Amino acid sequence: MAREYRLGVTRKVANAAVKLLVGRGIPIAGRTGWLLTTTGRRSGADRTTPVNVIEVGGDRWLVSPYGQVGWVHNLRADATARLRRGRTRETWEVEEADAATAGPVLRAYVRKIPVTAPFFDAKLSDPAEAFAAEADRHPVFRLARSRA
């Protein structure tokens, strides 16, 4: 059974360190690390969290390996993703993927960022269909249109 994500003290400290490094442009996780800023769905305030953006099939994807976290809800309310790494800033409109589309992306994500594997029931050797079965627990968003 997949591990459940909990934002404890250790993870908060790790996120703060990653935010500092990525914000300064220092590569994390093989240049997939970015800071994602969304607009809070209730507060309207900016919310920033470290994420990994991967490329699959010529498209760029945001994956939530830890499930239905805050930034997922925020993107569903306002489909604008602002990405930052060092001095590089990008603004994108996002589209949430259906399960069939998400399966291969989730599989590629776990292979590229294996530290997230314990949060999935599907194993690295499983086919994309096994990952598609978990798409409702691990939302996937395609970076659709640049708003630069």
Side-chain angles (χ1 to χ4, degrees), residues 12-53:
K12 285 181 182 179
V13 170
N15 279 351
V18 169
K19 282 169 83 170
L20 179 70
L21 294 171
V22 172
R24 297 203 171 166
I26 298 170
I28 300 292
R31 302 284 302 161
T32 63
W34 289 83
L35 295 179
L36 168 68
T37 301
T38 58
T39 301
R41 64 197 176 283
R42 288 183 244 171
S43 68
D46 283 350
R47 303 290 183 206
T48 301
T49 189
V51 296
N52 290 295
V53 176

Side-chain angles (χ1 to χ4, degrees), residues 5 7 11 15 18-19 32-43 45-54 60-83 92-97 102 105-106 109 113 116 120 135-144:
Y5 177 77
L7 187 61
R11 226 175 258 284
N15 279 351
V18 169
K19 282 169 83 170
T32 63
W34 289 83
L35 295 179
L36 168 68
T37 301
T38 58
T39 301
R41 64 197 176 283
R42 288 183 244 171
S43 68
D46 283 350
R47 303 290 183 206
T48 301
T49 189
V51 296
N52 290 295
V53 176
I54 65 165
R60 293 173 69 200
W61 302 88
L62 275 172
V63 173
S64 181
Y66 307 121
Q68 308 285 338
V69 294
W71 67 260
V72 170
H73 298 293
N74 293 342
L75 280 180
R76 287 175 175 158
D78 176 5
T80 302
R82 291 171 282 156
L83 297 171
W92 293 85
E93 289 181 28
V94 299
E95 296 172 349
E96 190 165 2
V105 175
L106 289 169
Y109 188 91
I113 306 163
T116 62
F120 290 80
D136 61 328
R137 291 194 340 260
H138 303 285
V140 174
F141 296 86
R142 183 172 67 89
L143 300 180

Side-chain angles (χ1 to χ4, degrees), residues 118-136:
F119 298 93
F120 290 80
D121 287 325
K123 304 298 174 225
L124 287 172
S125 58
D126 288 346
E129 293 78 21
F131 286 92
E134 296 191 52
D136 61 328

